Amino acid sequence: MKVNNPPKHYLGHIYLEYTGNNLALINSLEDKKLINVTLFDYFSSSIEGELNCCFKIELLNDLYFIEFREQTVYKLKKEIGKYQLDELSYLIEYSTFENRNLFLIAGKLLIYNQISESDARNEMFNFNLIFENKEEIIKLFKH
């Protein structure tokens, strides 16, 4: 008999820096921020199946799940209330670092931003995820 355990999650912080090309955000107070974040070992989405090793974030007034294993981005489709693969956005790269007390994940995100029917841009974000250094988190990033 298979027992479905609830997903494990780890609380931390994300330092987010906007580096895209939307000039309205440059030099504003919103282009850099430190916010709370949760890392999930998995998240079940009824449309896309199971997302592994991912975190949830709000960017450009939309909610996203960023999955590390496949380096994919899932966007909340508000009209149906479900997360679906956003084929125009993706996790460009990421690296992990450890020290005695902290586990750090540094990466870059490219998020597709449909501003209007005639204007769509790819917005770049740099991020640093900061967690307590735990063996359970390190195992998530060892494929």
Side-chain angles (χ1 to χ4, degrees), residues 6 16 20 37 46 68 72 93 99-100 102 127 131 139:
L16 192 66
V37 70
S46 61
F68 285 103
T72 50
E93 63 186 16
N99 75 9
R100 275 188 236 133
L102 297 177
F127 66 86
F131 297 98
K139 285 180 182 176

Side-chain angles (χ1 to χ4, degrees), residues 43-59:
F43 176 80
S44 294
S45 169
S46 61
I47 290 180
E48 295 295 336
E50 190 173 285
L51 312 181
N52 294 297
C53 191
C54 58
F55 69 96
K56 185 178 177 180
I57 191 166
E58 182 177 351
L59 293 170

